[in-house]
Amino acid sequence: METTMNSRHLTRFARTGYELLIAGASSLKSPFLLVVRLLLGLADVCLRQAHLSDVPAMVERFQEWGVPFPEFNVYVSGLVPSRCAARSPPNEADRAEAN
């Protein structure tokens, strides 16, 4: 009988601990994603700045790599990713509205 009581107590203790873990992780999900997005945005800005700060050097690299229209592609590769990243993905309401 005592092993049954200990087993129930242990199960209840594990369930309570797991529920606390889930509640804590859920409350941190939004701030964590915000930090990740901010860091990715900062990396994007730094890379774009490095890419477009010295266009002649990048054109030379693109020529070495065999990229067609190197000057045009330097600007495209420096500007397009940031414009695409600035657009947020559509949410469920936008999808429903489109249909």
Side-chain angles (χ1 to χ4, degrees), residues 26-87:
S26 294
S27 68
L28 292 176
K29 182 171 48 172
S30 185
F32 175 74
L33 291 176
L34 174 64
V35 169
V36 168
R37 288 178 181 142
L38 288 173
L39 290 174
L40 288 174
L42 179 63
D44 178 56
V45 168
C46 291
L47 289 172
R48 186 172 7 119
Q49 176 66 25
H51 199 78
L52 295 175
S53 64
D54 192 7
V55 173
M58 286 306 296
V59 168
E60 186 177 315
R61 285 186 188 149
F62 275 38
Q63 287 171 340
E64 290 173 6
W65 297 335
V67 176
F69 310 109
E71 187 170 358
F72 173 75
N73 281 316
V74 165
Y75 288 107
V76 169
S77 65
L79 296 174
V80 169
S82 61
R83 295 296 150 227
C84 293
R87 185 190 178 284

